[in-house]
Amino acid sequence: MKLNVKPSLVVSIPKRSYPIFVGVDIFENVDYSQFFIGNKALIVTDDHIAPILLDRVTKTLSKFADVDFLILKSGETSKNMETLSRIHSKLIENNFDRSSTLIALGGGVIGDITGFAAATYQRGINYIQLPTTLLAQVDSSVGGKTGVNHPLGKNMIGAFHQPLAVVIDISFLSTLSDRQYCSGVAEVIKYGLIKDKDFYSWLIENIKMLKCRDHSALITAVEASIQIKAAVVAADEREENIRAILNFGHTFGHAIESFQRYEGFLHGEAISVGMILAMSASGLLGQTSDADLDLLTNALQQFELPVNVPKDMTKEIFLDYMDRDKKVLDGNIRLILLKSIGHAYLESTETKPLLDKLFKTL
Ligand SMILES: NC(=O)c1ccc[n+]([C@@H]2O[C@H](COP(=O)([O-])OP(=O)(O)OC[C@H]3O[C@@H](n4cnc5c(N)ncnc54)[C@H](O)[C@@H]3O)[C@@H](O)[C@H]2O)c1
Ligand SMILES: [Zn+2]
């Protein structure tokens, strides 16, 4: 076995820089000895992923540490304080200490809760992200946002805690459902729109390759996405300014997800509609064209992503949910819009007049 995989990039945060490895079937060829400071590791995963990947991952990591595992019930409902407490109990009962390492093997749910367990156990221990959904590979595994949901609000309890490394093995995606895969594609398209016109054009030209999960197209798409996320996170780790552009389409999308009580659209599906609305708003300001909107609509539809506001969601409902959003300040909403393709910015605007105009275009 050659442990010779080199990182595709490094997230440069002072004192907390970390490597991101991207490739196909690279998982076995990363030298994990550089990350483990103690000899104990706990893999946290869910009951969909465990039968598929737990043996493979345990076998490799056992060469570097004593490996134990904890299998959670899959799904967003596991992302809560009770589950967090289960992880902590497992760590305490098995004498894990500050030199121990947590391994998040899963999608964004597992990544967020495991990262938060690592942030909070004995005031912070190391963790490694092994993302298994496209959304987690291009988004949630990088950037250090960790946390759980509270009965009164999603992601309300959390911490910034950067991982020690992120290993993105594209082969992990082979068992992911089409719907989950396409939901992740929405975030990939987002990166092109907010920061990289050339990447966006490449995506449009390579829709067919991405649809059939062609490995080389996926590596290009994941690396480009992560590069954008890593650069934005390095510039603004705690979302005090520029990091907000990663929320393009998300203010509208979050309103849809909350209205549907997280039981309707998947996250990427809600963001798909959100991006259409955000681009329409950019169009109303004369910044993007009808042709831009048509191109985006067509691209999203090719991935079977929704592009229309759910029928039962009126302008008034949007207004209600958007005004509850954390981004509202003095009745003005801070929306991420596009100056042009590849150039996102923060626009502060009154919610109601904007929605009045926007709904006339729908
Ligand atoms: N921390 C961040 O910066 C950040 C960013 C975006 C989203 N998130 C969070 O991420 C979560 C959503 O993540 P997600 O979309 O990955 O959902 P998820 O973790 O619930 O995974 C989706 C489903 O796919 C299954 N699955 C995962 N990998 C699989 C594989 N390889 N093969 C077969 N099935 C597999 C899971 O068991 C689950 O049923 C949300 O809680 C959201 O808040 C966090
Ligand atoms: Zn998102």
Side-chain angles (χ1 to χ4, degrees):
M1 185 173 55
K2 285 194 204 131
L3 302 180
N4 57 359
V5 183
K6 298 273 178 298
S8 293
L9 68 146
V10 170
V11 184
S12 310
I13 297 175
K15 297 198 188 122
R16 287 190 303 278
S17 288
Y18 54 98
I20 304 182
F21 301 84
V22 183
V24 180
D25 286 323
I26 54 163
F27 171 72
E28 281 78 5
N29 300 328
V30 173
D31 180 5
Y32 295 93
S33 64
Q34 59 187 311
F35 306 123
F36 290 122
I37 44 172
N39 68 345
K40 280 168 91 77
L42 178 73
I43 301 171
V44 181
T45 191
D46 76 30
D47 55 5
H48 284 172
I49 302 155
I52 307 170
L53 287 170
L54 187 55
D55 276 354
R56 178 176 170 189
V57 169
T58 306
K59 196 169 156 220
T60 291
L61 294 185
S62 297
K63 293 173 189 150
F64 302 90
D66 280 344
V67 180
D68 200 349
F69 61 84
L70 180 64
I71 302 174
L72 308 176
K73 195 171 164 302
S74 103
E76 189 69 31
T77 48
S78 284
K79 211 175 107 173
N80 58 35
M81 293 297 271
E82 289 74 45
T83 316
L84 179 73
S85 183
R86 273 188 66 198
I87 304 177
H88 287 153
S89 301
K90 173 94 184 173
L91 293 168
I92 297 167
E93 283 160 11
N94 293 282
N95 301 316
F96 279 74
D97 63 21
R98 295 204 65 197
S99 70
S100 307
T101 307
L102 287 187
I103 311 288
L105 173 65
V109 166
I110 291 295
D112 280 12
I113 194 165
T114 308
F116 191 43
T120 44
Y121 187 64
Q122 298 194 356
R123 299 189 181 81
I125 64 170
N126 288 333
Y127 75 112
I128 295 173
Q129 290 272 17
L130 301 179
T132 65
T133 63
L134 183 58
L135 179 127
Q137 295 198 339
V138 298
D139 192 355
S140 59
S141 65
V142 175
K145 277 191 182 176
T146 73
V148 294
N149 302 327
H150 185 276
L152 297 179
K154 194 168 148 55
N155 291 331
M156 278 294 164
I157 315 295
F160 284 97
H161 187 52
Q162 301 292 342
L164 208 56
V166 184
V167 180
I168 301 178
D169 194 324
I170 302 289
S171 74
F172 285 2
L173 299 180
S174 62
T175 50
L176 196 63
S177 71
D178 283 340
R179 190 173 172 207
Q180 290 286 354
Y181 175 78
C182 290
S183 172
V185 169
E187 299 279 5
V188 174
I189 293 174
K190 176 195 79 179
Y191 287 114
L193 288 170
I194 61 170
K195 207 81 177 111
D196 190 338
K197 188 171 190 274
D198 291 342
F199 175 46
Y200 183 68
S201 305
W202 179 90
L203 284 171
I204 299 290
E205 279 160 28
N206 286 277
I207 288 176
K208 279 208 176 75
M209 301 299 265
L210 283 170
K211 266 204 90 171
C212 67
R213 309 191 197 189
D214 172 81
H215 279 169
S216 122
L218 259 173
I219 289 181
T220 304
V222 171
E223 280 188 342
S225 300
I226 288 297
Q227 243 151 27
I228 294 169
K229 175 127 192 199
V232 171
V233 167
D236 175 23
E237 186 190 2
R238 288 175 173 258
E239 200 169 314
E240 281 151 357
N241 45 66
I242 175 90
R243 187 165 177 167
I245 67 166
L246 297 172
N247 291 327
F248 177 70
H250 281 57
T251 300
F252 295 110
H254 287 157
I256 298 173
E257 285 183 290
S258 314
F259 171 66
Q260 296 180 333
R261 299 183 187 280
Y262 299 92
E263 287 166 355
F265 287 161
L266 296 177
H267 177 69
E269 293 170 343
I271 293 329
S272 173
V273 178
M275 291 194 295
I276 292 289
L277 293 173
M279 193 187 269
S280 304
S282 312
L284 286 172
L285 297 172
Q287 293 162 177
T288 49
S289 67
D290 288 349
D292 290 334
L293 187 60
D294 288 347
L295 197 65
L296 174 64
T297 307
N298 182 269
L300 295 169
Q301 281 176 325
Q302 292 208 47
F303 288 101
E304 270 109 71
L305 286 162
V307 291
N308 295 313
V309 169
K311 281 199 181 56
D312 48 349
M313 217 177 152
T314 60
K315 187 172 66 178
E316 288 69 30
I317 295 175
F318 258 103
L319 185 63
D320 188 25
Y321 279 96
M322 284 170 74
D323 276 346
R324 285 190 228 166
D325 197 287
K326 334 180 231 216
K327 288 166 221 77
V328 173
L329 217 62
D330 300 332
N332 273 9
I333 187 131
R334 294 160 70 231
L335 264 188
I336 310 303
L337 298 184
L338 299 180
K339 274 264 178 265
S340 59
I341 304 295
H343 185 180
Y345 73 104
L346 197 65
E347 171 89 31
S348 184
T349 181
E350 272 186 81
T351 325
K352 190 174 177 312
L354 171 88
L355 285 173
D356 284 342
K357 279 189 228 150
L358 205 51
F359 268 73
K360 276 193 194 128
T361 68
L362 299 181

